[in-house]
PDB file of all heavy atoms in Angstrom:
ATOM      1  N   LEU A  71      53.062  -5.130  73.863  1.00  0.00           N
ATOM      2  CA  LEU A  71      53.580  -4.728  72.564  1.00  0.00           C
ATOM      3  C   LEU A  71      54.522  -3.537  72.719  1.00  0.00           C
ATOM      4  O   LEU A  71      54.349  -2.706  73.597  1.00  0.00           O
ATOM      5  CB  LEU A  71      52.417  -4.366  71.638  1.00  0.00           C
ATOM      6  CG  LEU A  71      51.358  -5.461  71.468  1.00  0.00           C
ATOM      7  CD1 LEU A  71      50.221  -4.965  70.596  1.00  0.00           C
ATOM      8  CD2 LEU A  71      51.962  -6.704  70.864  1.00  0.00           C
ATOM      9  N   HIS A  72      55.513  -3.453  71.838  1.00  0.00           N
ATOM     10  CA  HIS A  72      56.497  -2.382  71.896  1.00  0.00           C
ATOM     11  C   HIS A  72      56.065  -1.139  71.128  1.00  0.00           C
ATOM     12  O   HIS A  72      56.756  -0.139  71.137  1.00  0.00           O
ATOM     13  CB  HIS A  72      57.841  -2.878  71.360  1.00  0.00           C
ATOM     14  CG  HIS A  72      57.801  -3.323  69.930  1.00  0.00           C
ATOM     15  ND1 HIS A  72      57.284  -4.539  69.544  1.00  0.00           N
ATOM     16  CD2 HIS A  72      58.193  -2.710  68.797  1.00  0.00           C
ATOM     17  CE1 HIS A  72      57.371  -4.653  68.233  1.00  0.00           C
ATOM     18  NE2 HIS A  72      57.928  -3.552  67.754  1.00  0.00           N
ATOM     19  N   ILE A  73      54.922  -1.198  70.472  1.00  0.00           N
ATOM     20  CA  ILE A  73      54.428  -0.077  69.673  1.00  0.00           C
ATOM     21  C   ILE A  73      53.136   0.442  70.290  1.00  0.00           C
ATOM     22  O   ILE A  73      52.275  -0.331  70.691  1.00  0.00           O
ATOM     23  CB  ILE A  73      54.221  -0.526  68.214  1.00  0.00           C
ATOM     24  CG1 ILE A  73      55.579  -0.813  67.592  1.00  0.00           C
ATOM     25  CG2 ILE A  73      53.463   0.512  67.422  1.00  0.00           C
ATOM     26  CD1 ILE A  73      55.526  -1.368  66.205  1.00  0.00           C
ATOM     27  N   LYS A  74      53.031   1.772  70.359  1.00  0.00           N
ATOM     28  CA  LYS A  74      51.842   2.410  70.915  1.00  0.00           C
ATOM     29  C   LYS A  74      51.240   3.379  69.889  1.00  0.00           C
ATOM     30  O   LYS A  74      51.869   3.692  68.881  1.00  0.00           O
ATOM     31  CB  LYS A  74      52.215   3.221  72.161  1.00  0.00           C
ATOM     32  CG  LYS A  74      52.726   2.399  73.313  1.00  0.00           C
ATOM     33  CD  LYS A  74      53.057   3.296  74.478  1.00  0.00           C
ATOM     34  CE  LYS A  74      53.581   2.487  75.641  1.00  0.00           C
ATOM     35  NZ  LYS A  74      53.917   3.342  76.783  1.00  0.00           N
ATOM     36  N   LYS A  75      50.054   3.860  70.187  1.00  0.00           N
ATOM     37  CA  LYS A  75      49.391   4.839  69.333  1.00  0.00           C
ATOM     38  C   LYS A  75      50.249   6.107  69.266  1.00  0.00           C
ATOM     39  O   LYS A  75      50.886   6.487  70.247  1.00  0.00           O
ATOM     40  CB  LYS A  75      48.007   5.169  69.917  1.00  0.00           C
ATOM     41  CG  LYS A  75      47.195   6.093  69.065  1.00  0.00           C
ATOM     42  CD  LYS A  75      45.850   6.348  69.718  1.00  0.00           C
ATOM     43  CE  LYS A  75      45.086   7.377  68.910  1.00  0.00           C
ATOM     44  NZ  LYS A  75      43.795   7.687  69.500  1.00  0.00           N
ATOM     45  N   ASP A  76      50.265   6.755  68.111  1.00  0.00           N
ATOM     46  CA  ASP A  76      51.006   7.991  67.826  1.00  0.00           C
ATOM     47  C   ASP A  76      52.512   7.800  67.688  1.00  0.00           C
ATOM     48  O   ASP A  76      53.242   8.781  67.551  1.00  0.00           O
ATOM     49  CB  ASP A  76      50.710   9.091  68.865  1.00  0.00           C
ATOM     50  CG  ASP A  76      49.273   9.550  68.824  1.00  0.00           C
ATOM     51  OD1 ASP A  76      48.679   9.509  67.725  1.00  0.00           O
ATOM     52  OD2 ASP A  76      48.740   9.956  69.862  1.00  0.00           O
ATOM     53  N   ASP A  77      53.027   6.564  67.710  1.00  0.00           N
ATOM     54  CA  ASP A  77      54.438   6.310  67.429  1.00  0.00           C
ATOM     55  C   ASP A  77      54.688   6.443  65.930  1.00  0.00           C
ATOM     56  O   ASP A  77      53.795   6.187  65.128  1.00  0.00           O
ATOM     57  CB  ASP A  77      54.846   4.894  67.855  1.00  0.00           C
ATOM     58  CG  ASP A  77      55.063   4.760  69.345  1.00  0.00           C
ATOM     59  OD1 ASP A  77      55.238   5.795  70.009  1.00  0.00           O
ATOM     60  OD2 ASP A  77      55.073   3.624  69.840  1.00  0.00           O
ATOM     61  N   THR A  78      55.908   6.807  65.564  1.00  0.00           N
ATOM     62  CA  THR A  78      56.308   6.817  64.162  1.00  0.00           C
ATOM     63  C   THR A  78      57.067   5.524  63.900  1.00  0.00           C
ATOM     64  O   THR A  78      58.038   5.225  64.592  1.00  0.00           O
ATOM     65  CB  THR A  78      57.200   8.028  63.849  1.00  0.00           C
ATOM     66  OG1 THR A  78      56.506   9.208  64.255  1.00  0.00           O
ATOM     67  CG2 THR A  78      57.486   8.116  62.371  1.00  0.00           C
ATOM     68  N   VAL A  79      56.601   4.752  62.915  1.00  0.00           N
ATOM     69  CA  VAL A  79      57.179   3.435  62.653  1.00  0.00           C
ATOM     70  C   VAL A  79      57.582   3.301  61.187  1.00  0.00           C
ATOM     71  O   VAL A  79      57.151   4.076  60.339  1.00  0.00           O
ATOM     72  CB  VAL A  79      56.180   2.303  63.013  1.00  0.00           C
ATOM     73  CG1 VAL A  79      55.902   2.263  64.498  1.00  0.00           C
ATOM     74  CG2 VAL A  79      54.890   2.428  62.232  1.00  0.00           C
ATOM     75  N   VAL A  93      51.251   5.597  63.828  1.00  0.00           N
ATOM     76  CA  VAL A  93      50.313   4.554  64.252  1.00  0.00           C
ATOM     77  C   VAL A  93      49.003   5.212  64.659  1.00  0.00           C
ATOM     78  O   VAL A  93      48.967   6.069  65.541  1.00  0.00           O
ATOM     79  CB  VAL A  93      50.890   3.726  65.418  1.00  0.00           C
ATOM     80  CG1 VAL A  93      49.876   2.711  65.903  1.00  0.00           C
ATOM     81  CG2 VAL A  93      52.177   3.038  65.004  1.00  0.00           C
ATOM     82  N   LEU A  94      47.918   4.830  63.989  1.00  0.00           N
ATOM     83  CA  LEU A  94      46.599   5.379  64.277  1.00  0.00           C
ATOM     84  C   LEU A  94      45.879   4.595  65.359  1.00  0.00           C
ATOM     85  O   LEU A  94      45.160   5.162  66.181  1.00  0.00           O
ATOM     86  CB  LEU A  94      45.744   5.389  63.006  1.00  0.00           C
ATOM     87  CG  LEU A  94      46.297   6.178  61.819  1.00  0.00           C
ATOM     88  CD1 LEU A  94      45.421   5.973  60.599  1.00  0.00           C
ATOM     89  CD2 LEU A  94      46.406   7.645  62.167  1.00  0.00           C
ATOM     90  N   VAL A  96      46.168   0.566  67.686  1.00  0.00           N
ATOM     91  CA  VAL A  96      46.826  -0.712  67.956  1.00  0.00           C
ATOM     92  C   VAL A  96      45.756  -1.705  68.391  1.00  0.00           C
ATOM     93  O   VAL A  96      44.980  -1.434  69.310  1.00  0.00           O
ATOM     94  CB  VAL A  96      47.904  -0.572  69.055  1.00  0.00           C
ATOM     95  CG1 VAL A  96      48.515  -1.917  69.376  1.00  0.00           C
ATOM     96  CG2 VAL A  96      48.979   0.410  68.630  1.00  0.00           C
ATOM     97  N   LEU A 140      60.072   0.753  65.436  1.00  0.00           N
ATOM     98  CA  LEU A 140      60.076   2.165  65.794  1.00  0.00           C
ATOM     99  C   LEU A 140      61.213   2.890  65.100  1.00  0.00           C
ATOM    100  O   LEU A 140      62.243   2.291  64.791  1.00  0.00           O
ATOM    101  CB  LEU A 140      60.226   2.317  67.305  1.00  0.00           C
ATOM    102  CG  LEU A 140      58.986   1.981  68.117  1.00  0.00           C
ATOM    103  CD1 LEU A 140      59.335   1.859  69.580  1.00  0.00           C
ATOM    104  CD2 LEU A 140      57.934   3.032  67.932  1.00  0.00           C
ATOM    105  N   VAL A 160      57.270   4.476  82.914  1.00  0.00           N
ATOM    106  CA  VAL A 160      57.991   3.585  82.008  1.00  0.00           C
ATOM    107  C   VAL A 160      58.619   4.435  80.912  1.00  0.00           C
ATOM    108  O   VAL A 160      57.934   5.193  80.226  1.00  0.00           O
ATOM    109  CB  VAL A 160      57.048   2.528  81.400  1.00  0.00           C
ATOM    110  CG1 VAL A 160      57.776   1.679  80.382  1.00  0.00           C
ATOM    111  CG2 VAL A 160      56.456   1.663  82.497  1.00  0.00           C
ATOM    112  N   ARG A 162      60.857   4.453  77.401  1.00  0.00           N
ATOM    113  CA  ARG A 162      61.330   3.645  76.274  1.00  0.00           C
ATOM    114  C   ARG A 162      62.550   4.337  75.677  1.00  0.00           C
ATOM    115  O   ARG A 162      62.503   5.514  75.350  1.00  0.00           O
ATOM    116  CB  ARG A 162      60.237   3.488  75.230  1.00  0.00           C
ATOM    117  CG  ARG A 162      59.010   2.774  75.792  1.00  0.00           C
ATOM    118  CD  ARG A 162      57.947   2.554  74.771  1.00  0.00           C
ATOM    119  NE  ARG A 162      57.515   3.790  74.141  1.00  0.00           N
ATOM    120  CZ  ARG A 162      56.887   3.844  72.968  1.00  0.00           C
ATOM    121  NH1 ARG A 162      56.617   2.752  72.309  1.00  0.00           N
ATOM    122  NH2 ARG A 162      56.520   4.992  72.456  1.00  0.00           N
TER     123      ARG A 162
END
Side-chain angles (χ1 to χ4, degrees):
L71 305 177
H72 61 282
I73 292 175
K74 295 180 180 180
K75 184 180 175 181
D76 295 329
D77 282 342
T78 305
V79 294
V93 176
L94 302 174
V96 177
L140 286 167
V160 176
R162 299 183 303 160

